[in-house]
Amino acid sequence: MAWESLNPPRDYLKAGVRKPYRDVIDVSWGDPHRAGVKPLSFVRQVLAACLYPKLMEGDRLMVDVRQRAQRLLKECAGGSIGSYSNTAGIPEIVQRVSEFITRRDGGVPCRRENIFISSGSQWALNILKVLVNSEASPRTGVLTPVPCHSTTILSLMALGAAAVPYHLTEERGWALEVEELQRALDSAKGVCSPVALYVINPGNPAGYVQNRKSMQEVIRFAAEKRLFLLADEVYQDCVYGKTEFVSYKRALAEMGPPLSETVELASFHTASKGLMGECGLRAGYVELVNLDPAVMKHINSLFSTNSCAPVLGQIALDVMTNPPQPGDPSYPLYMKHIRTSLAENVRRVEEVVNSLPGFSCQPVEGGAFAFPTVFLPPKAIERAKEVGMKPDTFYCLRLLEEAGLLFSPGTEYGQKEGTYHIRFCIMIPLDVMEELLRRLSGFHKRFMKEFS
Amino acid sequence: MAWESLNPPRDYLKAGVRKPYRDVIDVSWGDPHRAGVKPLSFVRQVLAACLYPKLMEGDRLMVDVRQRAQRLLKECAGGSIGSYSNTAGIPEIVQRVSEFITRRDGGVPCRRENIFISSGSQWALNILKVLVNSEASPRTGVLTPVPCHSTTILSLMALGAAAVPYHLTEERGWALEVEELQRALDSAKGVCSPVALYVINPGNPAGYVQNRKSMQEVIRFAAEKRLFLLADEVYQDCVYGKTEFVSYKRALAEMGPPLSETVELASFHTASKGLMGECGLRAGYVELVNLDPAVMKHINSLFSTNSCAPVLGQIALDVMTNPPQPGDPSYPLYMKHIRTSLAENVRRVEEVVNSLPGFSCQPVEGGAFAFPTVFLPPKAIERAKEVGMKPDTFYCLRLLEEAGLLFSPGTEYGQKEGTYHIRFCIMIPLDVMEELLRRLSGFHKRFMKEFS
Ligand SMILES: Cc1ncc(COP(=O)(O)O)c(C=O)c1O
Ligand SMILES: Cc1ncc(COP(=O)(O)O)c(C=O)c1O
């Protein structure tokens, strides 16, 4: 198992490729707008009004859009989104985010001092700096899933931490099993000293959603081994199956003392995902739970070296956590946009992909991706070796060349030795998904024939 | 000499203060909009059109605004500012930034591969990571000016580097003198091993602008001592005196080989400063010169751990480096806004402050701040000690309490033992500046009388 550290990840696929399709469908990112999803108009109207307040003259914009923009501008220093904010974010927005979290978690209280808004949730991983002692020998370790969103692994390495891989069990819908956590921890002995456990829920690239029981086991394990829990919950609004999303914060609180008062937890969220999908605005937040005040002080200074998160991104977070309510003039249109259900996409992916020979796709319960296994024929594996490529990279390259589909190979995320996967974003318009599935089916059958 | 590491820097001044002025003038940041400067409408119109393309229907916006927005949207993945860009920035914008630099430097070529757009120029200081070996003993050192913009010092410390202070010579308009660089370098012996020299030009907090001769001396020094030159040139558009701004890149190129081909240089710029003053958008860039390809590879991976800079900020950089041209419909209004000259502010500051007893202000040739010396009476110094404060912090606190002016004390930036300074932003509307000077004069006379 290995992660290829490529930057930007998929450029090696694109370089010098002849493509029969002018319109390459790029589903190699978790980036809804890139793949054709339309931005939510309420979000964009509020942002545009804050940016260019003249738009609020007259009644071109709904009254709730104008009121929201006016309130937000009052909260910006000098009444402009062009001024720096506090390093943790505009205090009123931070306050409203904390109220959202309390509502989401059925009343489990959230303190605003524990919220830090950052330039994307990825940046917030930097809080690990307070845990990672880059001068320590052996090195600081962080337990990370296989497969795992590759940027996280790169960030950990950049921070000087070692990733200690634990495998998710594909056959059981990519389940996170405590025995495997224990095996991973044991494997670190003499290599590095693990201080944190990173979980992604809902998953990326694997689209599982953890249930309460599984989370409770993970929490108990973290408590016992004194591991800091890093819960990457950026896909919390992207749930399509039977399992509802429960935050680690809530699961922890419901377990009661002493656990609820001792397990250290960081939970990440972002404006990049969900139906908002505003990746380019770069804004996310982290909530910290049960941290020592001395550590919180360090985290405060850490954030202060980066000025503040983009103010327009902060505003998007405000809208994300406080969307229009029934009765508001923008509510009907907002709901219409939000209802663009992805469940149908997911159903079609599972149906079509599982019907193809040599493919097997676990249920996509949540997240932004499908991550099916592809059983590559020995001849294809051989050919890949000849051209010096990983077999799944070879498959993705041919897929791009011949079908104009830009997927990413499982090799980028880590996978069990001898297994191969492909990842593609499912947050795309339904018609694009149908075209994608059509191209994938045609290509795959030709490919399997060629190498049979 | 010491830097207080405070976060957010001025909160200690604001805490629990009774203020006779409801409208505190906050000039403690280098943040024009906070202090009442209006955003440039061309910038805001282009941004709003990109954010909410419906605005381009009809002819409410000038045709050049619409054309610019349309072109920029085509350059965004999926035609939306809501998608991630390449980690170094949108390639077409990077290209136009590099063309701007070439024009600015009278034709000295700039290669787009050497430009990285980041979430504010402050973030780009992270390139130091490739120079700083946090495990090294003795520690890696970076020569830094006294006085110095405090966030830089915090960032260096966060990176695990030691700041090696060199003093600017206040009496000679805060000149940067090579003998002092040598003294600083010598002082590091046995303490840390300096690998880089950080210069701010034009200065912050001290408002000097370096001339070519001084820059050439600094470059020769860096070459001789094999120091990486970090040129913080974010105030390049803020020049009010006789000395014109010359970039280090240009000065270096004009010196010819071997220096022009060997001295390693990073130059920083941002959308936060200048007349645009869009701090809240969080976008800056760094140009790297003469770096080893292996190091450039590291820098590429470094940037890739942070996804990308906010796309709207990238667009602001595009406008900053490619403003409307004569003949464009938006040109006349743009020029009217740009001409809001700060030179008059600077003239008034020097005139009024230098007329006050116990104040001495060097000419403000550039940058965003005045940084006068204040000769505090012994009784004031004693009183400050009694209440456990640095004398200039005490002065600033009283200034806030009694005159509603939020300045920052020299102690935050470093200053020669026994000298005291105050810093305030001069990028504010002229009427606000007059009010500020009136309050400062009144307060200062009362203060001097009280402690005489
Ligand atoms: C699991 C996970 N965490 C974090 C991120 C980063 O998101 P952001 O845009 O907030 O940095 C992503 C992006 O794809 C992700 O998939
Ligand atoms: C000298 C200097 N460098 C860098 C910065 C940071 O600017 P940015 O907003 O681009 O991070 C500032 C901000 O005040 C500054 O004064």
Side-chain angles (χ1 to χ4, degrees), chain A residues 172-198:
Chain A
R172 283 195 281 283
W174 299 105
L176 200 174
E177 303 187 320
V178 168
E179 306 74 53
E180 170 61 12
L181 290 179
Q182 183 62 57
R183 186 207 55 77
L185 201 60
D186 293 342
S187 79
K189 284 211 178 97
V191 181
C192 65
S193 70
V195 297
L197 166 56
Y198 176 73

Short mmCIF file of all heavy atoms in Angstrom, two decimals, chain A residues 172-198:
data_model
loop_
_atom_site.label_atom_id
_atom_site.label_comp_id
_atom_site.label_asym_id
_atom_site.label_seq_id
_atom_site.Cartn_x
_atom_site.Cartn_y
_atom_site.Cartn_z
N ARG A 172 -17.57 -5.20 4.32
CA ARG A 172 -18.66 -4.81 5.23
C ARG A 172 -18.96 -3.32 5.07
O ARG A 172 -19.11 -2.60 6.05
CB ARG A 172 -18.29 -5.16 6.67
CG ARG A 172 -18.45 -6.68 6.96
CD ARG A 172 -18.46 -7.02 8.44
NE ARG A 172 -17.12 -7.04 9.00
CZ ARG A 172 -16.24 -8.04 8.83
NH1 ARG A 172 -16.55 -9.09 8.09
NH2 ARG A 172 -15.05 -7.99 9.37
N GLY A 173 -19.05 -2.90 3.81
CA GLY A 173 -19.40 -1.50 3.54
C GLY A 173 -18.37 -0.54 4.10
O GLY A 173 -18.71 0.51 4.62
N TRP A 174 -17.10 -0.92 4.00
CA TRP A 174 -16.01 -0.07 4.48
C TRP A 174 -16.13 0.22 5.98
O TRP A 174 -15.90 1.36 6.42
CB TRP A 174 -15.93 1.24 3.71
CG TRP A 174 -15.68 1.08 2.24
CD1 TRP A 174 -16.58 1.23 1.23
CD2 TRP A 174 -14.43 0.75 1.60
NE1 TRP A 174 -15.98 1.00 0.00
CE2 TRP A 174 -14.66 0.72 0.20
CE3 TRP A 174 -13.14 0.48 2.07
CZ2 TRP A 174 -13.66 0.43 -0.72
CZ3 TRP A 174 -12.14 0.20 1.14
CH2 TRP A 174 -12.41 0.18 -0.23
N ALA A 175 -16.46 -0.80 6.74
CA ALA A 175 -16.63 -0.60 8.19
C ALA A 175 -15.30 -0.30 8.89
O ALA A 175 -14.25 -0.79 8.49
CB ALA A 175 -17.28 -1.84 8.80
N LEU A 176 -15.39 0.54 9.92
CA LEU A 176 -14.23 0.86 10.75
C LEU A 176 -14.29 -0.08 11.95
O LEU A 176 -15.20 0.02 12.78
CB LEU A 176 -14.35 2.32 11.19
CG LEU A 176 -13.10 3.05 11.66
CD1 LEU A 176 -13.41 4.50 11.91
CD2 LEU A 176 -12.47 2.42 12.87
N GLU A 177 -13.32 -1.00 12.07
CA GLU A 177 -13.40 -2.01 13.12
C GLU A 177 -12.27 -1.85 14.13
O GLU A 177 -11.12 -1.61 13.78
CB GLU A 177 -13.37 -3.39 12.46
CG GLU A 177 -14.53 -3.49 11.44
CD GLU A 177 -14.72 -4.87 10.85
OE1 GLU A 177 -13.70 -5.52 10.55
OE2 GLU A 177 -15.89 -5.28 10.70
N VAL A 178 -12.66 -1.96 15.41
CA VAL A 178 -11.72 -1.64 16.47
C VAL A 178 -10.53 -2.59 16.51
O VAL A 178 -9.41 -2.18 16.82
CB VAL A 178 -12.46 -1.60 17.84
CG1 VAL A 178 -11.46 -1.57 18.98
CG2 VAL A 178 -13.35 -0.37 17.90
N GLU A 179 -10.74 -3.85 16.13
CA GLU A 179 -9.61 -4.80 16.12
C GLU A 179 -8.53 -4.30 15.16
O GLU A 179 -7.33 -4.47 15.40
CB GLU A 179 -10.05 -6.20 15.68
CG GLU A 179 -11.20 -6.80 16.47
CD GLU A 179 -12.55 -6.16 16.12
OE1 GLU A 179 -12.91 -6.10 14.93
OE2 GLU A 179 -13.23 -5.68 17.06
N GLU A 180 -8.98 -3.71 14.06
CA GLU A 180 -8.02 -3.21 13.06
C GLU A 180 -7.29 -1.98 13.61
O GLU A 180 -6.10 -1.79 13.37
CB GLU A 180 -8.77 -2.90 11.77
CG GLU A 180 -7.97 -2.16 10.71
CD GLU A 180 -6.72 -2.89 10.21
OE1 GLU A 180 -6.56 -4.09 10.49
OE2 GLU A 180 -5.89 -2.22 9.56
N LEU A 181 -7.98 -1.15 14.38
CA LEU A 181 -7.33 0.00 15.02
C LEU A 181 -6.22 -0.52 15.95
O LEU A 181 -5.11 0.02 15.99
CB LEU A 181 -8.33 0.84 15.81
CG LEU A 181 -9.36 1.64 15.02
CD1 LEU A 181 -10.30 2.39 15.97
CD2 LEU A 181 -8.67 2.63 14.07
N GLN A 182 -6.56 -1.58 16.69
CA GLN A 182 -5.59 -2.15 17.63
C GLN A 182 -4.37 -2.69 16.86
O GLN A 182 -3.23 -2.45 17.25
CB GLN A 182 -6.26 -3.26 18.43
CG GLN A 182 -5.35 -3.89 19.49
CD GLN A 182 -4.92 -2.87 20.54
OE1 GLN A 182 -5.75 -2.25 21.19
NE2 GLN A 182 -3.60 -2.67 20.69
N ARG A 183 -4.64 -3.38 15.75
CA ARG A 183 -3.54 -3.93 14.94
C ARG A 183 -2.64 -2.78 14.45
O ARG A 183 -1.41 -2.85 14.52
CB ARG A 183 -4.09 -4.69 13.74
CG ARG A 183 -3.03 -5.43 12.93
CD ARG A 183 -3.38 -5.63 11.47
NE ARG A 183 -3.71 -4.40 10.75
CZ ARG A 183 -2.81 -3.51 10.33
NH1 ARG A 183 -1.53 -3.70 10.53
NH2 ARG A 183 -3.20 -2.41 9.71
N ALA A 184 -3.27 -1.70 14.00
CA ALA A 184 -2.50 -0.56 13.49
C ALA A 184 -1.64 0.03 14.61
O ALA A 184 -0.45 0.31 14.41
CB ALA A 184 -3.45 0.50 12.93
N LEU A 185 -2.25 0.19 15.77
CA LEU A 185 -1.53 0.75 16.90
C LEU A 185 -0.32 -0.12 17.25
O LEU A 185 0.79 0.38 17.46
CB LEU A 185 -2.48 0.84 18.11
CG LEU A 185 -2.09 1.81 19.22
CD1 LEU A 185 -2.01 3.23 18.68
CD2 LEU A 185 -3.12 1.77 20.34
N ASP A 186 -0.55 -1.43 17.27
CA ASP A 186 0.56 -2.35 17.56
C ASP A 186 1.67 -2.22 16.51
O ASP A 186 2.85 -2.27 16.82
CB ASP A 186 0.07 -3.80 17.59
CG ASP A 186 -0.88 -4.05 18.77
OD1 ASP A 186 -0.86 -3.23 19.72
OD2 ASP A 186 -1.65 -5.02 18.73
N SER A 187 1.24 -2.02 15.27
CA SER A 187 2.22 -1.96 14.17
C SER A 187 3.13 -0.73 14.31
O SER A 187 4.20 -0.67 13.72
CB SER A 187 1.52 -1.91 12.82
OG SER A 187 1.04 -0.60 12.57
N ALA A 188 2.67 0.25 15.07
CA ALA A 188 3.45 1.48 15.21
C ALA A 188 4.57 1.34 16.23
O ALA A 188 5.48 2.18 16.29
CB ALA A 188 2.54 2.64 15.60
N LYS A 189 4.50 0.28 17.04
CA LYS A 189 5.50 0.12 18.11
C LYS A 189 6.91 0.15 17.55
O LYS A 189 7.24 -0.55 16.62
CB LYS A 189 5.25 -1.19 18.86
CG LYS A 189 4.07 -1.08 19.81
CD LYS A 189 4.20 -1.95 21.07
CE LYS A 189 2.99 -1.72 21.97
NZ LYS A 189 1.95 -2.74 21.78
N GLY A 190 7.72 1.00 18.13
CA GLY A 190 9.11 1.09 17.69
C GLY A 190 9.28 1.94 16.44
O GLY A 190 10.40 2.24 16.03
N VAL A 191 8.17 2.32 15.82
CA VAL A 191 8.25 3.11 14.58
C VAL A 191 7.93 4.59 14.85
O VAL A 191 8.65 5.49 14.46
CB VAL A 191 7.29 2.56 13.50
CG1 VAL A 191 7.41 3.37 12.21
CG2 VAL A 191 7.55 1.08 13.26
N CYS A 192 6.80 4.80 15.53
CA CYS A 192 6.42 6.17 15.85
C CYS A 192 5.49 6.11 17.06
O CYS A 192 5.04 5.03 17.46
CB CYS A 192 5.71 6.83 14.68
SG CYS A 192 4.14 6.08 14.27
N SER A 193 5.22 7.26 17.66
CA SER A 193 4.32 7.19 18.81
C SER A 193 3.02 7.92 18.49
O SER A 193 2.96 9.13 18.38
CB SER A 193 5.00 7.73 20.06
OG SER A 193 5.17 9.09 19.99
N PRO A 194 1.94 7.13 18.29
CA PRO A 194 0.65 7.67 17.87
C PRO A 194 0.02 8.54 18.96
O PRO A 194 -0.04 8.13 20.12
CB PRO A 194 -0.20 6.43 17.61
CG PRO A 194 0.78 5.31 17.44
CD PRO A 194 1.92 5.66 18.35
N VAL A 195 -0.44 9.72 18.56
CA VAL A 195 -1.11 10.62 19.51
C VAL A 195 -2.53 10.93 19.09
O VAL A 195 -3.30 11.50 19.85
CB VAL A 195 -0.35 11.96 19.66
CG1 VAL A 195 1.04 11.74 20.23
CG2 VAL A 195 -0.28 12.72 18.34
N ALA A 196 -2.88 10.61 17.84
CA ALA A 196 -4.21 11.00 17.35
C ALA A 196 -4.78 9.94 16.42
O ALA A 196 -4.04 9.15 15.83
CB ALA A 196 -4.14 12.34 16.63
N LEU A 197 -6.10 9.96 16.33
CA LEU A 197 -6.82 9.03 15.46
C LEU A 197 -7.70 9.88 14.54
O LEU A 197 -8.54 10.64 15.01
CB LEU A 197 -7.68 8.09 16.32
CG LEU A 197 -8.77 7.26 15.63
CD1 LEU A 197 -8.19 6.41 14.50
CD2 LEU A 197 -9.48 6.38 16.66
N TYR A 198 -7.45 9.76 13.25
CA TYR A 198 -8.19 10.54 12.25
C TYR A 198 -9.27 9.68 11.62
O TYR A 198 -8.98 8.59 11.13
CB TYR A 198 -7.19 11.04 11.20
CG TYR A 198 -7.79 11.78 10.02
CD1 TYR A 198 -8.28 13.08 10.16
CD2 TYR A 198 -7.86 11.19 8.77
CE1 TYR A 198 -8.82 13.77 9.08
CE2 TYR A 198 -8.40 11.87 7.68
CZ TYR A 198 -8.88 13.16 7.85
OH TYR A 198 -9.41 13.84 6.77
#
